[in-house]
Amino acid sequence: MNTHHIIKLCDRCYWDTTTETIKLHNENVPLTSNMRKVLKLLITNYNKPISSIDIFFHIWENFENEYKPRNVRNLISNIRKRIPCLSIVNYYGGSYMLKKNRESHPLFSENLIDILDQAQNGITISDPNQNDNPVIYVNHAFANAFGYTPEEVIGKNCRFLQGDDRNQPALEEIRQAMQAFKDVTVTLRNYHKSGQLIYSEVTISPIFDKKTHKLKYFLGIQKDVTSLQQLIQQIKGMV
């Protein structure tokens, strides 16, 4: 059988370049005309970010139309819902990129926890299928950054890091993104066990089961940006 026109996107998910259709688990995924156009553009530009405005005019093909980023965001969101195994990444400034499928190596899988534990940024994994989305894994960098042992964090929702400092617009951004199963990156005021303020750049991503395509985990990555925020406050004070 001639399969040169078939592109593997992820596990048991294939794009037919001739018919511009997607088959997932041997079944065709219903796609609108605009979804096909976006997917074709993303697949043609694998691992390359494409600006929202380029996507907009590629789809609607009419430069008289008013550019609305919301239309592109909604279209990308609908594609993610229909094909959750796809890794479509958002970039700051309004760009999107389809990350190429990578086959998992057995040795990599066996050492995954060790790799995460040695990462420099804080990493958490939470389970949204349990009550209140508790943390089920933290790496050493996260525990060290906030002064807690992993045992003190596991089983809690990460909101405990904000303490009583709940009046943060970024928290609402996180809530909306998690409800929509979208990636989100914000800056939060978190607090060390000692009470010290820590500014954290937090990225949260939904993780889906490859077989059932249901939401399985939320992956959180926290980067300490306290020094940067302090510098910004100093500059503002000088102006």
Side-chain angles (χ1 to χ4, degrees), residues 7 36 80 94 115 134 159 201 231 234:
I7 297 175
R36 288 192 181 91
R80 283 172 170 154
I115 293 170
R159 75 170 68 89
E201 181 183 86
L231 177 59
Q234 290 176 7

Side-chain angles (χ1 to χ4, degrees), residues 42-77:
L42 291 173
I43 292 168
T44 303
N45 293 276
Y46 250 143
N47 291 333
K48 296 179 182 178
I50 306 173
S51 70
S52 178
I53 191 167
D54 285 341
I55 294 174
F56 181 87
F57 287 117
H58 177 81
I59 295 170
W60 282 276
E61 299 177 347
N62 185 348
F63 284 83
E64 293 181 358
N65 286 344
E66 181 184 356
Y67 167 56
K68 295 180 180 179
R70 181 179 66 255
N71 292 342
V72 176
R73 288 198 303 268
N74 291 342
L75 189 55
I76 295 290
S77 177

Side-chain angles (χ1 to χ4, degrees), residues 23 26-27 43 51 89 98 118 185 210 224 234:
K23 186 163 287 188
N26 295 320
E27 294 185 2
I43 292 168
S51 70
V89 182
L98 178 62
Q118 295 181 52
T185 299
K210 287 186 175 181
D224 189 336
Q234 290 176 7

Side-chain angles (χ1 to χ4, degrees), residues 19-213:
T19 61
E20 297 184 355
T21 57
I22 281 189
K23 186 163 287 188
L24 180 61
H25 296 288
N26 295 320
E27 294 185 2
N28 287 326
V29 178
L31 300 171
T32 66
S33 173
N34 286 344
M35 286 181 179
R36 288 192 181 91
K37 289 180 181 180
V38 137
L39 282 169
K40 183 178 180 180
L41 182 64
L42 291 173
I43 292 168
T44 303
N45 293 276
Y46 250 143
N47 291 333
K48 296 179 182 178
I50 306 173
S51 70
S52 178
I53 191 167
D54 285 341
I55 294 174
F56 181 87
F57 287 117
H58 177 81
I59 295 170
W60 282 276
E61 299 177 347
N62 185 348
F63 284 83
E64 293 181 358
N65 286 344
E66 181 184 356
Y67 167 56
K68 295 180 180 179
R70 181 179 66 255
N71 292 342
V72 176
R73 288 198 303 268
N74 291 342
L75 189 55
I76 295 290
S77 177
N78 289 332
I79 291 174
R80 283 172 170 154
K81 289 177 182 178
R82 295 199 185 187
I83 319 168
C85 63
L86 291 186
S87 180
I88 303 176
V89 182
N90 294 37
Y91 285 93
Y92 180 78
S95 293
Y96 300 89
M97 182 181 78
L98 178 62
K99 295 182 68 175
K100 200 161 189 176
N101 174 69
R102 295 181 301 172
E103 299 294 340
S104 178
H105 191 283
L107 185 59
F108 174 82
S109 299
E110 292 174 5
N111 296 313
L112 180 59
I113 296 299
D114 288 337
I115 293 170
L116 295 178
D117 278 340
Q118 295 181 52
Q120 296 300 306
N121 290 331
I123 297 175
T124 62
I125 299 175
S126 63
D127 185 354
N129 297 300
Q130 294 188 44
N131 183 45
D132 204 28
N133 188 32
V135 173
I136 60 173
Y137 166 82
V138 296
N139 69 344
H140 293 313
F142 179 94
N144 293 336
F146 294 103
Y148 294 95
T149 65
E151 291 74 21
E152 289 178 299
V153 178
I154 291 174
K156 297 181 179 179
N157 185 289
C158 265
R159 75 170 68 89
F160 83 93
L161 291 175
Q162 290 98 55
D164 295 328
D165 189 0
R166 302 294 302 166
N167 187 23
Q168 302 187 45
L171 294 175
E172 179 61 19
E173 289 185 52
I174 291 176
R175 186 188 68 79
Q176 292 182 6
M178 293 176 75
Q179 286 184 344
F181 303 156
K182 293 180 180 179
D183 295 339
V184 63
T185 299
V186 298
T187 299
L188 287 176
R189 296 188 299 272
N190 286 329
Y191 293 85
H192 189 274
K193 188 176 182 179
S194 65
Q196 178 185 354
L197 172 62
I198 298 175
Y199 286 94
S200 302
E201 181 183 86
V202 182
T203 297
I204 300 175
S205 302
I207 307 298
F208 298 93
D209 188 287
K210 287 186 175 181
K211 294 182 179 180
T212 64
H213 309 294

